[in-house]
């Protein structure tokens, strides 16, 4: 297509606008918005049912491997979490803080990094907030600092292939998730160092705040904290949560180390490109189930326990296949991109992916993760392609700028869970965290730019 079609441009913009609106206003689930809207739009533009079937087939082909990866990744890490693989690490980190405010802040960041390895925000907050909140309360530390540090550390880890943002970006661009992730590993390492440094600085700031409150008479001096008791309470809580299955689990001490080796092995096989991600996680699930649980009934029970999370993510991406298939195969997206080129300055068009990355955190606050990756990213990708900019570069720029903002978005269900667990409110969380998280995202973008993941044009 050399020239944009007015009809296709209007149709494409209409589909994108309605889909984003429905997602923003939380009127329907993402699956409904991304299936019904493009089909109705395609019919109104003049495409027939046969055309829509072809669009759908193309869209499904594009996302199917990502769907399979997500389903089995969620099952795999859910099984390892059931087996208690991450509990000793969290317990050890609680003990290492020794009840010192600065070390608690740094420890919180480390715990958030470990807890979010499974890529599931809800699991992360269920594991960390009840474990750390008593420590924060005993030391008169702000619960909003707890939420901020968990949001930053979980956002960094969300770059993993089975994390929501990268999975969505891979679905949209058609790039293999592991191929998309490998260049992000150095960025992730830099981001981990940055978050530990920021946690130290925020911990020092918290020390000064607590001292001012004590001097002003607004708070008593913090008592000596028994971190061992808090760590024991965490262990008891985790044991109680798994009480129904713990007696039927394989509990030999060797099993813990076998799980650790299995987790490292699956991730290593995937990152080394020896096995594709879907097969790596399938194999991981097939080994983890009999390794940890006795009998087929209990194994199927654990699959059913984690099926809702797996099905939810799989359904969203399959729903997006209709949206992406219609926009791409009908040439609506290309027509919208060509029309966009006619109205924006060339310099802005060539760097549109960087501009959208810089605005990634505010956009997550105003739209949603689904809208950002399934609606905005395809349009930016198509526009950038007209300047010879590859999809990999576009995805990296937009991810680097957005991924840290997931847990300041009111469209994130996991955030509402964290607010409920900590007794916090959204407005105060945003006032406390938003600009720090946005600034941190810009540092991550700078790291990605320095490491050559994208460049100015």
């Amino acid at each position: 297509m050399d020239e944009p079609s007015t009809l296709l441009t209007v149709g494409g913009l209409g589909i994108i606008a309605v889909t984003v609106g429905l997602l923003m206003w939380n009127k329907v689930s993402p699956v409904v918005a991304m299936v019904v809207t493009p089909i109705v739009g395609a019919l109104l533009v003049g495409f027939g049912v046969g055309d829509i079937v072809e669009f759908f087939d193309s869209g499904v082909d594009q996302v199917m491997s990502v769907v399979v990866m997500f389903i089995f990744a969620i099952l795999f890490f859910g099984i390892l979490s059931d087996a208690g693989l991450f509990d000793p690490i969290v317990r050890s980190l609680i003990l290492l803080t020794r009840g010192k405010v600065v070390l608690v802040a740094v420890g919180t960041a480390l715990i958030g990094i470990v807890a979010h390895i499974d890529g599931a925000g809800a699991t992360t907050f269920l594991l960390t907030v009840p474990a750390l909140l008593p420590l924060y309360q005993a030391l008169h530390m702000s619960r909003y600092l707890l939420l901020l540090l968990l949001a930053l550390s979980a956002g960094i880890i969300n770059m993993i292939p089975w994390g929501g943002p990268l999975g969505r970006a891979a679905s949209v661009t058609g790039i293999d998730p592991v191929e998309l992730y490998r260049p992000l590993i150095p960025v992730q390492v830099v981001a981990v160092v940055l978050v530990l440094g920021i946690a130290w600085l925020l911990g020092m700031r918290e020390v000064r705040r607590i001292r001012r409150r004590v001097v002003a008479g607004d708070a008593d001096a913090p008592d000596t904290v028994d971190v061992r008791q808090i760590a024991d309470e965490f262990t008891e809580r985790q044991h109680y949560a798994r009480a129904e299955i713990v007696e039927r689990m394989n509990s030999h001490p060797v099993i813990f180390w076998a799980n650790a080796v299995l987790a490292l092995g699956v991730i290593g096989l995937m990152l080394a490109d020896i096995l594709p991600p879907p097969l790596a996680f399938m194999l991981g699930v097939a080994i983890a189930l009999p390794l940890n649980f006795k009998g087929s009934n209990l194994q199927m029970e654990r699959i059913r326990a984690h099926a809702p999370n797996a099905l939810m993510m799989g359904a969203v991406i399959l729903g997006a296949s209709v949206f992406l298939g219609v926009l791409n195969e009908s040439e609506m997206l290309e027509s919208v991109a060509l029309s966009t080129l006619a109205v924006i300055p060339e310099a802005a068009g060539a760097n549109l992916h960087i501009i959208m990355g810089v605005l990634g955190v505010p956009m997550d606050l105003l739209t949603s993760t689904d809208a950002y990756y399934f609606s905005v990213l395809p349009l930016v990708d198509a526009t950038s392609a007209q300047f010879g900019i590859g999809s990999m570069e576009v995805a990296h720029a937009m991810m680097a700028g957005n991924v840290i903002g997931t847990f300041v978005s009111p469209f994130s269900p996991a955030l509402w869970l964290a607010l409920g667990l900590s007794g916090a409110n959204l407005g105060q969380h945003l006032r406390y965290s938003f600009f720090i998280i946005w600034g941190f995202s810009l540092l991550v973008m700078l790291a990605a730019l320095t490491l050559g993941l994208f460049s100015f044009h």
Side-chain angles (χ1 to χ4, degrees):
M1 179 184 291
D2 297 321
E3 295 293 333
S5 161
T6 302
L7 180 62
L8 292 179
T9 297
V10 171
L13 286 174
I15 289 172
I16 292 170
V18 172
T19 302
V20 171
L22 290 172
L23 293 173
M24 283 178 61
W25 297 324
N26 205 26
K27 294 295 184 182
V28 295
S29 77
V31 175
V32 175
M34 289 187 290
V35 171
V36 175
T37 306
I39 289 177
V40 171
L43 291 172
L44 291 175
V45 167
F47 291 101
V49 173
D51 297 319
I52 293 173
V53 171
E54 292 181 9
F55 301 159
F56 168 72
D57 289 340
S58 174
V60 168
D61 289 342
Q62 181 176 333
V63 306
M64 184 52 69
S65 66
V66 179
V67 171
V68 176
M69 180 198 72
F70 259 109
I71 290 173
F72 283 92
I74 290 170
L75 293 176
F76 179 66
F77 287 108
I79 292 164
L80 294 184
S81 182
D82 287 341
L85 177 62
F86 307 113
D87 293 357
I89 303 173
V90 174
R91 175 185 169 84
S92 298
L93 289 170
I94 291 173
L95 291 173
L96 285 172
T97 65
R98 303 200 311 272
K100 305 294 185 182
V101 170
V102 173
L103 292 180
V104 169
V106 175
T108 300
L110 288 171
I111 289 170
I113 288 167
V114 172
H116 202 65
I117 291 294
D118 67 348
T123 304
T124 299
F125 292 125
L126 282 169
L127 184 68
T128 57
V129 174
L132 292 170
L133 188 60
L135 195 53
Y136 273 68
Q137 290 172 331
L139 294 170
H140 301 320
M141 294 175 69
S142 171
R143 68 191 68 209
Y144 295 100
L145 175 61
L146 169 61
L147 293 178
L148 168 60
L149 292 171
L150 290 176
L152 286 173
S153 53
I156 292 166
I157 300 304
N158 238 1
M159 296 180 191
I160 51 181
W162 53 93
L166 192 139
R168 290 172 174 90
S171 301
V172 168
T173 58
I175 301 171
D176 179 79
V178 173
E179 184 182 349
L180 191 59
Y181 173 62
R182 281 197 199 99
L184 286 168
I185 294 175
V187 178
Q188 207 169 26
V189 171
V190 172
V192 167
V193 174
L194 285 172
V195 81
L196 294 179
I198 287 174
W200 182 275
L201 293 174
L202 291 173
M204 296 294 291
R205 186 184 74 170
E206 191 71 359
V207 169
R208 292 193 295 271
R209 185 190 68 84
I210 294 169
R211 284 175 180 166
R212 285 196 301 269
R213 288 191 63 202
V214 171
V215 169
D218 295 331
D220 297 327
D223 298 325
T224 301
V225 175
D226 186 349
V227 289
R228 183 166 296 278
Q229 180 183 347
I230 292 172
D232 289 342
E233 289 172 355
F234 164 75
T235 301
E236 291 174 9
R237 187 163 49 248
Q238 292 301 104
H239 185 82
Y240 178 77
R242 290 191 292 269
E244 294 183 2
I245 59 171
V246 80
E247 292 182 1
R248 295 178 288 166
M249 288 171 54
N250 297 326
S251 55
H252 193 281
V254 173
I255 298 297
F256 172 84
W257 296 108
N259 281 323
V261 170
L262 176 61
L264 293 173
V266 167
I267 294 171
L269 288 170
M270 182 179 62
L271 294 181
D273 208 20
I274 296 172
L275 292 179
L279 181 56
F281 282 118
M282 278 185 180
L283 182 61
V285 170
I287 296 172
L289 278 171
L291 179 65
N292 290 284
F293 302 108
K294 305 169 184 176
S296 61
N297 289 339
L298 181 56
Q299 291 167 20
M300 291 305 297
E301 179 186 314
R302 298 328 301 156
I303 290 177
R304 285 192 294 272
H306 299 292
N309 288 334
L311 179 61
M312 180 184 70
M313 198 66 214
V316 167
I317 294 179
L318 283 172
S321 71
V322 180
F323 180 83
L324 297 171
V326 168
L327 286 178
N328 283 318
E329 298 304 315
S330 68
E331 297 188 337
M332 288 188 200
L333 196 58
E334 185 178 354
S335 184
V336 171
L338 290 172
S339 299
T340 303
L341 292 179
V343 297
I344 62 174
E346 183 173 342
N351 294 292
L352 185 59
H353 56 309
I354 298 177
I355 295 170
M356 298 312 297
V358 169
L359 297 174
V361 170
M363 288 195 69
D364 227 8
L365 183 65
L366 298 173
T367 57
S368 69
T369 302
D370 287 328
Y372 184 81
Y373 287 99
F374 289 136
S375 298
V376 179
L377 176 55
L379 178 56
V380 174
D381 187 26
T383 304
S384 299
Q386 307 301 317
F387 294 92
I389 300 166
S391 296
M392 181 86 80
E393 183 175 344
V394 172
H396 282 155
M398 292 186 63
M399 268 196 67
N402 167 267
V403 70
I404 308 300
T406 301
F407 300 117
V408 288
S409 171
F411 301 99
S412 169
L415 174 58
W416 290 103
L417 174 62
L419 293 171
L421 290 170
S422 62
N425 69 76
L426 179 62
Q428 183 64 27
H429 173 55
L430 291 178
R431 286 191 293 273
Y432 190 96
S433 302
F434 177 76
F435 287 105
I436 294 175
I437 287 177
W438 191 9
F440 188 87
S441 77
L442 299 181
L443 291 177
V444 174
M445 284 196 73
L446 181 60
L449 178 67
T450 304
L451 290 166
L453 273 69
F454 56 88
S455 58
F456 287 103
H457 298 274

